[in-house]
Amino acid sequence: MPPISLPSTSRALYRVFIAPTLTTSNFTPIRIHQLPAVHLLPSQNVRQVSYKKPAVRQNLSDVFTFDNAITSPRVNYIDTSGVFHANVPLSRAQSSFNRALFYLVQVSEGKVDEFGLHLSPEDLPTCKVISKIDLRAQHAKKMDLERRAAKGQGAGPAQKNLELNWAIAGGDLKHRLGKLKEFLSDGRKVEVLFGTKKRGRVATMEECEDLMKKVKEAVEECKGAEISKKMEGTVGGVLTMFFQGRRLEAEAEKISRKEEARKGRRKSDRVREAAEKESEDAEKESGEKTTEEKAAAI
């Protein structure tokens, strides 16, 4: 309200010019829509980098002692024919074979006294001439066993699983039994799982028993193979049989190598005895000659 003391003219001017400016008007705020952010550079996917433990790599010289790494000046060694040679200079042993194809590998260190000396020829290091291909194969096998041991797996060959249908056909059964024999001959553990197909023919109890009999006969044909664990499950349903094979070839190779080493030692002993006998005979002959010469001089 205008002040009462104002005259009528001032009051009229107040109503015309001042009063309208004092009234509140409806104000509608302007909404500003937020525009999406514009990327000037192309977006890139961030790739997570994972760091893995580097693979352990070993050279032959880290595992085996061969050729120039042998420190003893004299060694006992077995040549490529399996003949044992006792108390031979290292240089002569290294020059007795083709070094482009073979290594002279130290298989035993020998015995030394407190001064680092070998007391007798029997205490010398024993070496063997091995082809480079065979030594690399031994190294690869050893590395594979170490990797399996690090993963908590057994040192032997990996286990194999074989699945058989109770109503399997004759041709398929022959192929599967051949695989079973192959796995057992390699010395592997084999689990044979019997079962039925969802939409397949249901085998009779006689067929199931006949199938189990054929599997057992195939296992018996593999020398050294045996049942390692009692079977689990039901005949005609889901059944598992456990077998353990044995690699007889490796054992035969070990036995043959031992026999060759023994034969080589015996041969070298005979040669040494013959040489000693010849030297004794020569000494006797020289002694007899000196005695005769002395008698003739007298």
Side-chain angles (χ1 to χ4, degrees):
M1 295 294 293
I4 299 174
S5 60
L6 291 176
S8 59
T9 305
S10 299
R11 189 178 297 173
L13 293 173
Y14 180 85
R15 289 196 188 112
V16 174
F17 296 103
I18 303 301
T21 62
L22 298 177
T23 58
T24 58
S25 60
N26 295 329
F27 176 75
T28 303
I30 300 174
R31 295 182 180 179
I32 300 175
H33 297 281
Q34 186 176 2
L35 298 176
V38 178
H39 298 281
L40 299 179
L41 297 177
S43 60
Q44 296 179 354
N45 296 327
V46 179
R47 183 178 179 182
Q48 299 293 335
V49 180
S50 60
Y51 296 94
K52 296 182 179 180
K53 186 177 180 180
V56 178
R57 299 181 182 274
Q58 290 183 346
N59 297 323
L60 288 176
S61 58
D62 298 333
V63 182
F64 301 98
T65 303
F66 58 91
D67 288 351
N68 296 332
I70 301 173
T71 57
S72 177
R74 304 185 72 86
V75 295
N76 301 326
Y77 85 100
I78 303 171
D79 60 14
T80 54
S81 301
V83 180
F84 181 82
H85 302 270
N87 196 6
V88 179
L90 179 62
S91 58
R92 185 190 301 175
Q94 291 178 341
S95 62
S96 64
F97 58 90
N98 187 357
R99 300 189 66 177
L101 302 176
F102 296 91
Y103 286 126
L104 182 65
V105 183
Q106 180 176 295
V107 294
S108 65
E109 297 180 355
K111 299 178 182 179
V112 294
D113 57 7
E114 57 183 357
F115 301 104
L117 301 176
H118 300 283
L119 300 178
S120 65
E122 296 179 356
D123 297 334
L124 292 174
T126 302
C127 303
K128 185 177 181 181
V129 180
I130 302 177
S131 68
K132 294 185 176 182
I133 296 175
D134 293 341
L135 191 64
R136 293 192 186 99
Q138 293 180 18
H139 179 254
K141 185 177 180 180
K142 187 173 182 179
M143 291 294 296
D144 183 58
L145 293 177
E146 290 180 357
R147 283 192 293 268
R148 291 177 60 83
K151 294 180 180 179
Q153 301 175 352
Q159 178 179 311
K160 291 293 184 179
N161 299 325
L162 199 65
E163 296 182 0
L164 295 178
N165 180 21
W166 288 114
I168 189 171
D172 293 339
L173 177 61
K174 184 177 180 180
H175 175 70
R176 298 293 178 87
L177 293 180
K179 284 291 185 182
L180 176 62
K181 294 178 184 179
E182 180 182 348
F183 295 151
L184 294 176
S185 300
D186 291 339
R188 300 178 185 270
K189 292 181 180 179
V190 183
E191 291 186 5
V192 182
L193 177 63
F194 299 87
T196 57
K197 292 184 178 180
K198 292 183 178 180
R199 299 181 181 179
R201 183 178 66 85
V202 178
T204 62
M205 188 59 63
E206 294 180 356
E207 290 177 339
C208 296
E209 292 178 354
D210 184 60
L211 178 60
M212 294 175 60
K213 182 180 178 181
K214 290 180 179 178
V215 171
K216 291 180 180 179
E217 290 176 353
V219 174
E220 291 175 355
E221 292 178 4
C222 301
K223 294 182 179 180
E226 59 184 1
I227 299 174
S228 60
K229 188 178 177 182
K230 187 178 179 181
M231 62 182 181
E232 299 176 355
T234 57
V235 179
V238 178
L239 179 70
T240 306
M241 299 182 72
F242 306 89
F243 302 101
Q244 174 64 58
R246 180 178 296 177
R247 189 176 181 182
L248 299 178
E249 294 180 358
E251 296 180 0
E253 290 177 359
K254 290 181 181 179
I255 294 173
S256 63
R257 285 197 296 267
K258 289 181 180 179
E259 290 294 332
E260 289 178 358
R262 289 175 184 174
K263 291 179 181 179
R265 292 191 187 95
R266 292 173 184 172
K267 186 176 180 180
S268 62
D269 291 340
R270 288 196 295 268
V271 172
R272 186 171 60 239
E273 290 175 358
E276 291 176 354
K277 188 175 181 181
E278 289 179 358
S279 62
E280 290 177 358
D281 294 340
E283 290 178 358
K284 288 181 180 179
E285 290 179 359
S286 62
E288 291 176 356
K289 287 181 180 179
T290 53
T291 305
E292 292 177 357
E293 291 176 356
K294 289 180 180 179
I298 294 171

